[in-house]
Amino acid sequence: MAKNTSGRGQRDLKVKVKTARGRKLSSTRWLERQLNDPYVKRAQLEGMRGRAAYKILELDDKFRFLVPGARVVDLGCAPGGWCQVAAKRVNAMGDRKGKAVGSVLGIDLQEVEPVAGVELHVLDFLEDDADEKVKTWLGGQADVVMSDMAAASSGHKQTDHLRIMALCEAAAYFAFDVLDEGGTFVAKVLAGGAEGDLQKLLKQKFTKVANVKPPASRSDSSEKFVVATGFRGTED
């Protein structure tokens, strides 16, 4: 039997994209990266709404905060990939017999296509009464508040860094209002020198704060994630 010397069928071949007329080189590089990204391919095969779903999956594999029965709030949840992972892991649909049934609440400024086992609302979490609305929808305090939000890019690296850190800090203060004692806060941040104040704040409010870059985060990205566990609760 003849050997297959071409190597085809034995390994995936890298897809190369030609630069089309009217398309910038940077756009071509982005498209080529997408077509060759194993997480993008995995998301397509597994029906996940984007590769970002694997970031929260990998973080939970490490820290185990999405447990059956947990009540989860996903801030800026579009397109819904984090909600998909959370719903399965907290047993929001009750399909894991003998396990506690949790709940997942996704909120965003825009409407999000329905996600199985997830309650979705259009809401600006920066509104004065947003925390009370969320607690009403949840029927109590949350066990997990998570955020993969990023401010719209301005094209200026330092400005974008400050914007996303301000958004993350706002999400943290929101978490302080809705988390139950012992709860977890997970959020995307950017490396760049403005994280010190946020780290100091979280260490005052949680028993443990970790900074992690999960494998699903691209190596050339400055993003990382803060995982704060053991919320100390609010002072009366």
Side-chain angles (χ1 to χ4, degrees):
M1 184 174 180
K3 293 183 178 179
N4 183 352
T5 57
S6 68
R8 295 181 184 274
Q10 297 178 15
R11 58 185 173 86
D12 291 333
L13 298 179
K14 184 176 181 180
V15 178
K16 291 190 176 182
V17 179
K18 293 182 179 180
T19 302
R21 180 177 295 178
R23 184 167 63 206
K24 294 181 179 179
L25 179 59
S26 60
S27 297
T28 298
R29 287 174 176 166
W30 179 89
L31 180 58
E32 186 172 289
R33 184 176 66 177
Q34 286 292 103
L35 291 172
N36 290 287
D37 190 320
Y39 284 100
V40 172
K41 295 177 182 177
R42 183 179 171 187
Q44 293 169 343
L45 289 172
E46 297 180 358
M48 304 304 290
R49 297 185 185 182
R51 68 189 309 285
Y54 300 102
K55 299 173 187 178
I56 194 66
L57 187 149
E58 290 167 351
L59 290 171
D60 185 53
D61 283 346
K62 184 177 180 67
F63 294 97
R64 302 291 183 184
F65 48 85
L66 296 176
V67 297
R71 297 158 295 180
V72 180
V73 180
D74 185 2
L75 300 178
C77 65
W82 279 32
C83 284
Q84 286 179 297
V85 173
K88 291 180 180 178
R89 297 215 163 182
V90 305
N91 195 29
M93 291 169 283
D95 50 7
R96 295 168 63 185
K97 303 302 181 184
K99 298 288 186 180
V101 177
S103 58
V104 180
L105 182 68
I107 66 174
D108 201 280
L109 292 174
Q110 60 183 316
E111 288 192 7
V112 178
E113 286 294 319
V115 179
V118 178
E119 182 180 340
L120 297 166
H121 290 272
V122 175
L123 176 71
D124 184 349
F125 82 97
L126 296 175
E127 292 178 7
D128 288 342
D129 60 347
D131 58 330
E132 294 302 324
K133 287 182 179 179
V134 164
K135 285 185 283 190
T136 297
W137 292 330
L138 275 180
Q141 304 288 117
D143 298 300
V144 180
V145 172
M146 56 189 195
S147 166
D148 191 31
M149 293 184 294
S153 175
S154 68
H156 186 268
K157 187 175 181 180
Q158 290 180 322
T159 299
D160 290 341
H161 176 71
L162 292 173
R163 283 179 176 177
I164 195 171
M165 292 309 302
L167 194 60
C168 185
E169 186 170 315
Y173 277 106
F174 178 85
F176 301 159
D177 290 334
V178 302
L179 275 178
D180 203 355
E181 190 171 344
T184 297
F185 174 64
V186 183
K188 176 164 64 181
V189 296
L190 294 181
E195 310 94 298
D197 290 342
L198 176 64
Q199 295 290 319
K200 183 178 179 180
L201 175 66
L202 293 177
K203 287 178 180 178
Q204 291 172 351
K205 296 289 186 177
F206 295 84
T207 58
K208 191 172 183 179
V209 178
N211 295 281
V212 185
K213 188 176 181 70
S217 288
R218 291 191 172 104
S219 58
D220 59 351
S221 169
S222 61
E223 75 171 12
K224 58 182 179 179
F225 291 84
V226 60
V227 181
T229 56
F231 182 54
R232 301 181 192 278
T234 54
E235 296 180 0
D236 296 328

